[in-house]
Amino acid sequence: MDYKQDDSYLLLSGIQHFQFCPRQWALIHIEQQWEENSRTIEGQHLHKKANDPFAREKRKDKLIVRGMAIKSEVLNVSGQCDIVEFVQDPAGVSLYGNPGTYRPIPVEYKRGKPKVGKEDELQLAAQAICLEEMFLCEITEGYLYYNETKHRHPVLLSESLKHEVREIVEKMNDYYRRRHTPKVKTGPHCKSCSLQNICLPELMVRESVSEYMERRLRD
């Protein structure tokens, strides 16, 4: 889920879309195309349960914050963490109004089960980069919680994973500045895409969605 205060920032959740399919990302974030399906509705319901922007919970040595707004000036992205757990740690950072120092750990909620690709891990790493920039700290671990397995999966937020995030976001910013929608590259992933009916992969090999719609209107 994402929170966006300034239109100059790209949505952090777009990293997952871009990794799945750059064209899907461009259709959503540049051409403002969207279509609901059972997967997106289920995902929104799951995030709604996790994201209560007023929920702060203290458990012994841990402060749990839900729906925390985050951003990175360096990456030019903004969004929202489902949950950030601040665990007391002598080497952690200070939090206003809370005694001691804490180590932030991002936790992202996902529908279904762990994916074959790395899109979920990349999104979590992007959240870590934002938190690192905001709190001037280093974050090396996070968790992905999948609704189907009802289990937390630990993720090592390595420098190599964060480097991948930076490369992806650089391309996203470049495409967004140029208002560039990549041509379709069909594959098995098209069957699970929420924009399958909009993208029309069989017809869109040589033209963008906007060009296709203009042609249909002329006809």
Side-chain angles (χ1 to χ4, degrees), residues 72-99:
S72 167
E73 299 284 350
V74 175
L75 295 183
N76 190 46
V77 297
S78 66
Q80 192 178 69
C81 288
D82 285 338
I83 293 175
V84 179
E85 295 182 348
F86 292 92
V87 181
Q88 281 192 328
D89 187 326
V93 297
S94 299
L95 298 178
Y96 179 78
N98 294 276

Side-chain angles (χ1 to χ4, degrees), residues 32-165:
Q32 302 295 304
Q33 302 282 341
W34 186 248
E35 184 171 282
E36 300 282 11
N37 65 11
S38 60
R39 292 184 177 87
T40 60
I41 292 172
E42 181 182 347
Q44 289 168 4
H45 176 69
L46 181 63
H47 281 288
K48 187 176 181 180
K49 289 174 65 178
N51 286 339
D52 181 351
F54 302 104
R56 298 168 68 92
E57 182 181 352
K58 191 74 165 66
R59 294 183 188 174
K60 296 182 179 179
D61 64 343
K62 184 185 299 183
L63 176 65
I64 301 172
V65 180
R66 303 175 188 273
M68 181 177 173
I70 58 173
K71 69 177 182 178
S72 167
E73 299 284 350
V74 175
L75 295 183
N76 190 46
V77 297
S78 66
Q80 192 178 69
C81 288
D82 285 338
I83 293 175
V84 179
E85 295 182 348
F86 292 92
V87 181
Q88 281 192 328
D89 187 326
V93 297
S94 299
L95 298 178
Y96 179 78
N98 294 276
T101 54
Y102 297 79
R103 174 167 45 92
I105 301 175
V107 182
E108 178 72 6
Y109 277 56
K110 295 294 182 183
R111 64 168 298 279
K113 56 186 178 181
K115 299 179 178 63
V116 176
K118 297 169 63 177
E119 53 264 36
D120 291 346
E121 287 84 356
L122 290 165
Q123 183 178 354
L124 191 67
Q127 292 179 2
I129 292 173
C130 292
L131 291 168
E132 288 176 337
E133 190 174 320
M134 292 168 63
F135 290 97
L136 302 178
C137 65
E138 182 180 5
I139 299 174
T140 58
E141 63 177 320
Y143 292 92
L144 291 168
Y145 176 89
Y146 289 93
N147 191 46
E148 187 172 317
T149 62
K150 307 295 184 186
H151 181 68
R152 276 189 175 195
H153 297 262
V155 178
L156 175 63
L157 301 174
S158 63
E159 279 306 312
S160 61
L161 190 64
K162 293 172 185 176
H163 180 69
E164 285 188 59
V165 169

Side-chain angles (χ1 to χ4, degrees), residues 1-4 10-14 29 51 78-80 123:
M1 296 293 290
D2 279 291
Y3 171 80
K4 193 176 182 184
L10 298 182
L11 290 176
L12 187 148
S13 64
H29 297 270
N51 286 339
S78 66
Q80 192 178 69
Q123 183 178 354

